[in-house]
Amino acid sequence: QVQLVESGGGLVEAGGSLRLSCAASSSGRTLSNYALGWFRQAPGKDREFVAAVSWSGHNRRYADSVRGRFTISRDNAKNTVDLQMNNLKPEDTAVYSCAAHYGSVWYGVKFVTNWGQGTQVTVSS
């Protein structure tokens, strides 16, 4: 079973930056062939996809709303996946959660089997 723990959330002014990190652990199992992603959910809104990365790190996907501002990366040696968020906007305010599913590339939310507990990001105007 893969366990995911996020960190790095907080309060930042519009135009600022934050870096989220998700530490993944798998009881005795390698995380190879696990794709990792980030989602967010704002109050009163549905959860939405933010970004995802293949196991190799070579294939990355982004939501249109964050492309060019956010960067997802992973370090397989450390079993972490990070989300660098630049030029933050008030509409980026949400609880951010990391997610994982088995598979070398990202297939989509329907395949997610593991979720982190989430970390709050608040962007003030």
Side-chain angles (χ1 to χ4, degrees):
Q1 187 73 308
V2 176
Q3 295 179 331
L4 305 171
V5 179
E6 302 95 337
S7 61
L11 174 65
V12 64
E13 292 184 351
S17 298
L18 279 175
R19 188 176 184 89
L20 305 183
S21 185
C22 176
S25 64
S26 181
S27 304
R29 297 179 60 187
T30 179
L31 287 179
S32 62
N33 289 329
Y34 274 86
L36 300 172
W38 285 94
F39 287 77
R40 67 186 182 186
Q41 187 167 19
K45 295 187 177 181
D46 293 334
R47 181 173 56 202
E48 65 171 343
F49 169 80
V50 176
V53 63
S54 62
W55 175 81
S56 69
H58 293 158
N59 295 314
R60 305 178 186 182
R61 296 178 60 182
Y62 296 96
D64 289 343
S65 58
V66 306
R67 186 175 290 110
R69 299 188 297 122
F70 291 12
T71 302
I72 188 170
S73 61
R74 65 187 294 168
D75 185 333
N76 288 333
K78 297 180 180 179
N79 284 338
T80 58
V81 56
D82 291 351
L83 186 68
Q84 177 66 42
M85 305 184 295
N86 297 328
N87 190 21
L88 283 160
K89 304 175 182 180
E91 51 264 43
D92 294 318
T93 295
V95 174
Y96 285 71
S97 301
C98 62
H101 71 62
Y102 189 82
S104 58
V105 296
W106 184 257
Y107 295 132
V109 64
K110 293 188 296 185
F111 297 88
V112 171
T113 54
N114 303 88
W115 294 92
Q117 83 288 352
T119 185
Q120 177 70 45
V121 171
T122 303
V123 184
S124 62
S125 57

